[in-house]
Amino acid sequence: MWLCIKVCPTNVFDRTETGLPLIARQEDCQTCFICEVYCPVDALYVSPYADIKQQVTEQELVSVGIIGSWREIIGWGRGRTRLAEIDETPFIDRILPPQGTISS
Amino acid sequence: MHANDELKLTADVLVIGGGPAGAWAAWSAASQGAKVILVDKGFLGSSGATAPGGTNLLYLPPDEKLRNEAVSQRMKEGGYLSEPDWIHRVLDQVYINLERVETWGYPFRRDENGVPMRDHLQGPEYMKLMRSAVSRAGVRIMDQSPALELLTDEHGVGGARGISRQKNRDWEVRAQSVVIATGGCAFLSKGLGCNVLTGEGLLMAAELGAELSGMEFSRQYAPSAAFGTVTRGRLLNWATYYDEDGNTLYSPGGPRPHDFLPTMLRKGPVYATLNHADTEEKQRILRQSHAIFFVPYDRAGIDPFKERFPLTLRYEGTVRGTGGIRITGEDCATTVPGLYAAGDAATRERVTGAKSGGGAFNASWAICSGTWAGEGAAKHALSTRSSANGRRLQAAGRGGMSRESAGPGQSLDTASLIQSVQREVFPLDINYFRSEPVIQKSLERLNALWPEVYAEVSGDSRERIKAREAAAMAATARWMYTAVLARRETRGMHTLLEYPNLNSSLQHRLTVSGIDRIQVYPEGKPHAQVNHELLEAAQYHVHTASRENESREPDRWMAAAAGEGEGA
């Protein structure tokens, strides 16, 4: 059950003959990070760079703790707290710095 | 189309699009007892502008004073093109639906008094919940199955055809009602989640003679990291801005120049630092709000609270503009019998007017218009008491759909067409700092490109889908700039350099219709006297205009629409 193939809004992945997902159309990736949120085994890393290809190794990503981090922040996966439950958005204007007036 | 073992299905209501508006439309139609199929280009749950991040909502408790204030403020900001009754309708309906979302399991925060704070939704959570609700309501969901064209006969719309792209299989769904909920058109500008929003819904509707409205209100750009795609600007309220040399351009509290970011980006690179979130507690609060904002910086190794990061503006097209398919009644019907529009695919002017519906308004509009369109579509379908199977339906798609070769070397270069359109709509100097002669020239170039969409489309499913997207983007750009030239004033988000003031004689919405030949006229007055010099400039008769399908004139369904109230 390879969720990335199913959920990618721009259909970046193909299913290979062995059934494994393959990044077949990286140029169609819109860098929305949603495949990472759905991946239950943290097997994906979406580079933040929209227009250039970033060379990374799994080891590097694991060592800096970035792989799987977005799913962890969203709070999906066993034993985690969903971001929606601790969402601070309704309260952020309480710490808003004074805003300037718009001049022409 | 190919006869590649085509999948044929029948339903009462077909919903095209699986973002919030499509999800609510499908849920609503199914709740009325209709048999519903929802098709989406991507996946219901991850597709569209809402799913990857989150969205603010226009949401107020049922307090008459609060609501009246909000309505008057919007009327003013929207250049008086919105309607108080419609804003109130949205406030009423969204309150009901968000209570529903909470009972479905969305964990809204509560304030100190225990009052739920229902004015923000985290995208992945919200859309996962919507998928469950739609599924439970009995809707058949077809993911990765973009619609390419509508089916029609003399009675109006009768379904659609498309491709299940992961199965490389064409599909046809016959339905008495169709809801277009395909979102706006963001021209593949890589705004967060927006690359599925390429305007096919607008083109499909227009091919049946549906009208569009508010296309000139399409001047919205959103900030993101220069290297990234996360178009979220709210946390920049905590930012100080700098130029390349580190000189401060703006700091919260100081005077902020009009058109600040576009003006500064015209001069050179602009950087920001969220240094006004100056305590760990403030930083924690921001990270737990618009969390997606931080993803690009964390991955690029930039501490956005301390270090400078480069900004850009990404064009948001009609997604955060307000224009789309014109709706004729409270059920979000269009001028085409059986065809309904919801969310960003529909014009949002009745609620937002000439101002961007960005964030809050559009999100609440998606919920409400989806609910109303779904209900209207179900009632229409169930009242016909017959299936769409017996109808003699024809597929209506034209631009980007030709399977016939016009000669050697005449096949459609999709990538080149898309780039040509982007060159006209992305630049701030054309589309943000709008001026009459510049838009005029741009529209001429777009009109000259238009015949390309009738070249042969060859290749696989992906190429067929891309060709249709390219045609839809070319059409959308032409509708936008045609409307821009007809609004010789400055109102809401729309500006023209030569006309810096509001013109009270233009206090009405503008309708555009047609595909090869585009007409523009005040809403509800297709035969009114309008500026003929402008009209001629806007109209463009391509050599292919005599093609057989050209008989789909905008007036075709006028009789059907005539009985419905005009809200202008």
Side-chain angles (χ1 to χ4, degrees):
Chain A
M1 162 113 140
W2 299 100
L3 286 172
C4 56
I5 301 174
K6 203 171 143 184
V7 306
C8 174
T10 57
N11 199 31
V12 162
F13 305 93
D14 270 347
R15 196 183 303 274
T16 62
E17 281 175 16
T18 58
L20 292 173
L22 172 82
I23 298 172
R25 291 166 293 275
Q26 193 169 345
E27 67 276 21
D28 288 348
C29 174
Q30 60 172 349
T31 321
C32 70
F33 306 100
I34 202 106
C35 53
E36 286 190 26
V37 179
Y38 274 85
C39 182
V41 292
D42 296 336
L44 282 153
Y45 170 74
V46 178
S47 160
Y49 301 101
D51 303 313
I52 53 166
K53 284 193 182 180
Q54 184 190 12
Q55 294 297 324
V56 291
T57 65
E58 190 178 344
Q59 213 173 10
E60 281 166 25
L61 296 172
V62 171
S63 71
V64 294
I66 210 83
I67 198 155
S69 61
W70 182 226
R71 178 174 166 86
E72 192 181 351
I73 290 167
I74 291 292
W76 287 9
R78 198 174 293 272
R80 288 176 174 166
T81 304
R82 290 174 296 166
L83 177 62
E85 296 173 60
I86 53 168
D87 187 356
E88 294 281 9
T89 310
F91 309 107
I92 60 175
D93 282 347
R94 295 179 181 183
I95 57 162
L96 188 69
Q99 299 298 298
T101 47
I102 293 173
S103 63
S104 46
Chain B
M1 275 208 180
H2 302 279
N4 53 1
D5 186 24
E6 186 175 282
L7 176 68
K8 291 197 174 206
L9 299 167
T10 307
D12 297 315
V13 175
L14 170 66
V15 176
I16 304 177
W24 280 106
W27 173 84
S28 171
S31 303
Q32 296 288 320
K35 184 183 173 192
V36 184
I37 295 175
L38 180 149
V39 295
D40 187 64
K41 192 193 281 184
F43 176 83
L44 166 54
S46 67
S47 269
T50 300
T55 187
N56 297 318
L57 294 147
L58 173 68
Y59 168 87
L60 289 172
D63 173 323
E64 203 179 337
K65 186 162 170 282
L66 268 180
R67 289 190 174 187
N68 284 334
E69 279 168 12
V71 169
S72 340
Q73 190 191 346
R74 193 63 188 198
M75 287 298 293
K76 185 165 174 247
E77 289 174 355
Y80 299 97
L81 295 188
S82 50
E83 296 166 47
D85 289 353
W86 276 74
I87 309 175
H88 278 295
R89 279 186 85 202
V90 165
L91 287 166
D92 292 345
Q93 184 71 54
V94 81
Y95 191 84
I96 296 167
N97 288 37
L98 288 171
E99 277 188 321
R100 202 167 263 146
V101 166
E102 193 165 22
T103 63
W104 288 342
Y106 191 90
F108 285 112
R109 294 286 306 269
R110 286 164 189 266
D111 70 8
E112 294 81 350
N113 305 314
V115 178
M117 309 286 274
R118 302 194 189 106
D119 57 0
H120 184 255
L121 285 160
Q122 294 288 348
E125 204 67 50
Y126 170 36
M127 291 312 297
K128 187 172 148 191
L129 201 66
M130 288 309 300
R131 185 179 179 96
S132 302
V134 168
S135 238
R136 274 199 315 273
V139 173
R140 176 168 179 169
I141 301 167
M142 289 166 58
D143 300 302
Q144 305 289 350
S145 298
L148 294 185
E149 58 184 333
L150 296 176
L151 301 174
T152 185
D153 64 9
E154 69 275 20
H155 302 296
V157 72
R161 302 179 70 147
I163 303 174
S164 286
R165 59 185 179 181
Q166 293 186 341
K167 296 173 183 148
N168 199 26
R169 186 186 191 191
D170 288 14
W171 57 259
E172 178 180 292
V173 174
R174 290 177 166 241
Q176 299 289 35
S177 300
V178 175
V179 179
I180 304 270
T182 47
C185 178
F187 298 92
L188 298 174
S189 64
K190 292 191 181 172
L192 187 64
C194 290
N195 268 21
V196 292
L197 310 172
T198 42
E200 300 94 279
L202 307 186
L203 181 56
M204 285 189 277
E207 282 167 341
L208 260 60
E211 298 169 318
L212 302 157
S213 181
M215 296 303 284
E216 68 277 29
F217 305 122
S218 47
R219 193 176 150 259
Q220 197 75 17
Y221 289 71
S224 80
F227 55 83
T229 59
V230 177
T231 38
R232 285 295 178 276
R234 190 165 168 196
L235 299 196
L236 293 173
N237 283 330
W238 281 262
T240 299
Y241 294 83
Y242 308 93
D243 67 12
E244 184 132 51
D245 301 322
N247 301 310
T248 300
L249 297 172
Y250 169 73
S251 183
R256 181 173 174 150
H258 196 59
D259 290 332
F260 169 72
L261 254 185
T263 306
M264 292 303 165
L265 281 166
R266 233 177 170 186
K267 294 177 187 165
V270 175
Y271 298 81
T273 305
L274 302 185
N275 56 350
H276 289 263
D278 49 7
T279 65
E280 277 184 24
E281 176 62 2
K282 287 182 189 174
Q283 294 172 9
R284 181 195 63 77
I285 289 170
L286 295 191
R287 280 188 176 274
Q288 262 171 241
S289 63
H290 293 210
I292 188 110
F293 176 90
F294 297 94
V295 173
Y297 305 114
D298 290 345
R299 291 176 185 217
I302 297 169
D303 177 351
F305 297 110
K306 296 196 172 74
E307 294 173 87
R308 290 193 281 148
F309 47 89
L311 288 174
T312 191
L313 285 169
R314 292 189 182 273
Y315 183 50
E316 298 185 293
T318 71
V319 174
R320 280 224 257 195
T322 70
I325 299 164
R326 187 170 88 85
I327 51 177
T328 57
E330 293 198 343
D331 57 358
C332 298
T334 70
T335 49
V336 179
L339 189 67
Y340 298 77
D344 292 348
T347 178
R348 287 136 280 166
E349 290 162 292
R350 287 178 189 245
V351 176
T352 65
K355 193 177 182 232
S356 167
F361 274 77
N362 285 350
S364 291
W365 168 253
I367 291 171
C368 299
S369 60
T371 303
W372 300 328
E375 192 180 324
K379 283 183 175 160
H380 174 82
L382 297 174
S383 72
T384 59
R385 295 167 187 276
S386 62
S387 141
N389 270 334
R391 291 168 61 179
R392 293 178 54 160
L393 294 163
Q394 291 193 330
R398 293 180 58 237
M401 305 263 325
S402 176
R403 307 295 291 174
E404 291 159 28
S405 174
Q410 294 293 302
S411 64
L412 176 59
D413 185 344
T414 307
S416 155
L417 177 58
I418 291 170
Q419 280 170 17
S420 300
V421 173
Q422 289 174 335
R423 272 198 295 272
E424 303 301 336
V425 297
F426 284 177
L428 293 166
D429 281 329
I430 299 177
N431 201 5
Y432 190 83
F433 297 101
R434 288 174 172 179
S435 88
E436 197 170 44
V438 172
I439 295 284
Q440 182 76 58
K441 288 278 178 218
S442 180
L443 180 58
E444 283 168 17
R445 289 189 295 270
L446 286 163
N447 283 336
L449 283 173
W450 179 248
E452 287 185 25
V453 305
Y454 295 115
E456 183 196 10
V457 176
S458 51
D460 56 10
S461 304
R462 179 172 178 252
E463 186 56 30
R464 287 168 61 203
I465 294 162
K466 285 215 181 286
R468 191 63 166 154
E469 291 177 345
M473 287 187 274
T476 304
R478 291 169 59 242
W479 289 320
M480 277 167 28
Y481 285 175
T482 300
V484 166
L485 292 174
R487 189 171 283 289
R488 287 175 151 172
E489 64 165 347
T490 288
R491 184 185 295 269
M493 77 163 79
H494 167 80
T495 63
L496 270 178
L497 183 66
E498 294 77 10
Y499 308 96
N501 301 314
L502 201 98
N503 178 347
S504 57
S505 73
L506 285 167
Q507 194 169 311
H508 50 250
R509 297 190 284 253
L510 286 174
T511 303
V512 295
S513 66
I515 294 170
D516 293 325
R517 188 166 168 271
I518 298 173
Q519 294 175 291
V520 56
Y521 41 87
E523 182 173 34
K525 296 172 186 163
H527 304 293
Q529 284 293 315
V530 287
N531 187 319
H532 282 279
E533 178 196 338
L534 269 175
L535 255 184
E536 275 160 32
Q539 289 173 356
Y540 187 74
H541 222 113
V542 295
H543 65 281
T544 48
S546 60
R547 294 163 70 98
E548 50 181 327
N549 283 340
E550 186 56 14
S551 62
R552 294 182 207 295
E553 286 160 11
D555 286 0
R556 183 168 166 185
W557 314 112
M558 279 303 167
E564 305 191 55
E566 296 296 343

